[in-house]
């Protein structure tokens, strides 16, 4: 397992109205197998930062290192789950979607389908292996997307508000499922959300970002045993603490 | 409502329309207002059609026409799909080919027939090239639009999963653009089918459905003309409904990328 370093990363958007800093001088490290949530209001640059780590955007300054090696562009050392259900390939079954990354590695059909089936088992969707995405619910589609991102065994899983478009009950189920998947795989995860309760439920550590410009305001370690009880006093304390960090900014801004 | 009953109902409605049109025609043909040689009755047309099928001439006419249309259409697909996709992917290719397409597209394919006859003579080469000309543009433009309509998330996801440009093309862009590509195939075939009949009238000799109609005019064989027209309509219908309809059902409709037509 490999640690990740974000070193002094800045990205400036060039717009007709002038240069707008998306993120400014962001630095932090993520240990191997750590689950890190990045929280912040919209416009704080959290998704921009994730897109830089994924290789979709190139930072104006700074670099990302995975296991000491600077990353450029996209690559199989990272798995990405987006918010939009439409991320799955509609012309492939659930199994075909999950096997895609392995297929790109040139793995032979039987082997990659065996592995893809195991991954679908991890998100409890073996029964739907032959279903096309449009026959699956939003929550199921996101589970397929998680299995797809894990199937080729990347060093880190990047998740951009994967459950934000789900209804509240499904979201709770999905959070439990993700916590379970993480416990089993011990994958390094960087998870972007604007939902404070979700961050406290999932993360080892929460990175709080604030906008204009997008910078890291503080970090909060969540020292709670798992599985976590969202109604416990300690849980609510962490939630309040995070909200204060975010709220202070709102008051100042 | 079940699928089967929907099919039966729409088939019944189509039959009613066609029967009505046939009845109007038959009444006119028998009324004696027009010369019988110019307006043969439907049984006469049917008789001629059967005779032409039995002696094999109609089969050969159809075979020639299908050969030309499928050859020209295949060429159009082989050029239109890759070029349309490249235009959608690369600005330089788009900048180069789009003005060319815009300039050539409004010229009716039949307007080229005399020119092509001068260049290539009468026969298969000219008819096939006319078909190719007619079918290429709808194919090209739909493929081009299809690529631009591919969800960028699919490209990102595939890129993260290590897809090379070649694999991206076959495994993501082609299926991702498939609703447009199938529409392009449909439109291209329709244009090809219209063009082949016209081209055969001017640039074919001895065989082909278009040629038969033109040739029959010389001998006032209205029954042969109408029989050929019926065959042209039937083959066009079969391709539209059975070939492209089925292609749509087993791909984009099955994948939920396009809905089946509502009844």
């Amino acid at each position: 397992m490999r640690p990740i370093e974000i070193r002094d990363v800045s990205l400036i958007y060039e717009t007709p109205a002038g240069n707008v800093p998306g993120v400014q001088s962001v630095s932090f490290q993520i240990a191997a197998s750590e689950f890190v949530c990045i929280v912040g209001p919209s416009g704080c640059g959290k998704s921009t930062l994730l897109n830089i780590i994924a290789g979709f955007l190139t930072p104006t300054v700074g670099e990302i290192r995975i296991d000491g090696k600077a990353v450029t562009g996209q690559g199989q050392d990272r798995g990405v789950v987006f918010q939009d259900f439409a991320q799955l390939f509609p012309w492939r079954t659930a199994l075909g979607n999950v096997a895609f990354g392995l297929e790109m590695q040139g793995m032979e059909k039987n082997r990659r389908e065996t592995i893809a089936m195991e991954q679908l088992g991890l998100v409890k969707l073996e029964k739907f292996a032959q279903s096309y995405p449009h026959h699956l619910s939003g929550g199921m589609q996101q589970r397929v997307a998680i299995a797809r991102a894990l199937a080729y065994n990347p060093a880190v899983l990047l998740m951009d508000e994967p459950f934000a478009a789900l209804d509240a009950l499904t979201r709770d189920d999905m959070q439990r499922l993700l916590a379970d998947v993480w416990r089993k795989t011990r994958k390094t995860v960087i998870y972007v959300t604007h939902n404070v309760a979700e961050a406290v439920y999932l993360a080892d550590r929460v990175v709080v970002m604030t906008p204009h410009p997008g910078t890291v305001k503080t970090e909060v370690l969540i020292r709670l045993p798992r599985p976590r009880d969202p109604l416990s006093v300690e849980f609510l304390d962490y939630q309040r603490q995070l909200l204060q960090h975010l709220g202070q900014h709102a008051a100042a801004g | 409502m079940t699928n089967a009953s929907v099919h039966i109902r729409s088939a019944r409605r189509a039959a009613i329309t066609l029967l009505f049109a046939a009845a109007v025609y038959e009444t006119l043909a028998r009324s004696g207002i027009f010369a019988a040689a110019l307006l043969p009755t439907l049984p006469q047309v049917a008789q001629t059609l059967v005779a032409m099928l039995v002696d094999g001439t109609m089969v050969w006419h159809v075979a020639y026409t299908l050969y030309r249309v499928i050859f020209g259409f295949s060429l159009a697909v082989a050029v239109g799909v890759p070029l349309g996709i490249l235009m959608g992917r690369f600005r330089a290719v788009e900048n180069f080919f789009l003005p060319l397409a815009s300039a050539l597209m409004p010229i009716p394919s039949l307007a080229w027939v005399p020119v092509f006859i001068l260049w290539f003579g009468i026969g298969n080469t000219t008819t096939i090239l006319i078909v190719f000309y007619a079918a290429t543009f709808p194919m090209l433009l739909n493929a081009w639009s299809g690529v631009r309509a591919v969800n960028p998330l699919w490209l990102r996801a595939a890129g993260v999963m290590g897809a090379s440009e070649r694999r991206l093309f076959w495994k993501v862009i082609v299926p991702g653009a498939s609703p447009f590509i199938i529409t392009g195939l449909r439109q291209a075939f329709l244009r090809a089918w219209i063009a082949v009949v016209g081209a055969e009238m001017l640039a074919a000799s001895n065989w082909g459905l278009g040629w038969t109609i033109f040739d029959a005019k010389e001998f006032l064989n209205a029954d042969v003309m109408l029989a050929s027209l019926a065959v042209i309509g039937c083959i066009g219908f079969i391709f539209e409904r059975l070939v492209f309809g089925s292609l749509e059902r087993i791909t984009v409709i099955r994948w939920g990328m396009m809905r089946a037509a509502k009844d």
Side-chain angles (χ1 to χ4, degrees), chain B residues 89-135:
Chain B
R89 288 285 286 167
F90 303 107
R91 181 59 60 84
V93 183
E94 184 179 284
N95 286 344
F96 184 81
F97 283 103
L98 196 57
L100 196 63
S102 304
L104 291 177
M105 201 169 30
I107 304 175
S109 53
L110 290 186
W112 285 101
V113 175
V115 182
F116 282 19
I117 289 176
L118 280 185
W119 291 348
F120 308 108
I122 279 180
N124 283 343
T125 312
T126 294
T127 42
I128 287 168
L129 285 176
I130 293 296
V131 168
F132 168 68
Y133 185 91

Side-chain angles (χ1 to χ4, degrees), chain A residues 149-171:
Chain A
L150 289 171
Y152 52 92
N153 197 23
V156 54
L157 185 60
L158 307 173
M159 307 182 84
D160 191 0
E161 309 210 36
F163 309 144
L166 296 169
D167 65 86
L169 287 176
T170 310
R171 194 185 308 137

Side-chain angles (χ1 to χ4, degrees), chain A residues 221-233:
Chain A
L221 278 175
I222 311 289
R223 299 175 202 277
L224 289 174
R226 290 182 165 97
R228 290 172 179 167
D229 174 8
L231 297 175
S232 70
V233 176

Side-chain angles (χ1 to χ4, degrees), chain B residues 56-79:
Chain B
T57 50
M58 183 55 88
V59 179
W60 277 106
H61 288 312
V62 169
Y64 266 89
T65 301
L66 278 181
Y67 165 71
R68 288 163 183 151
V69 84
I70 288 170
F71 199 140
F73 171 75
S74 305
L75 278 179
V77 174
V79 171

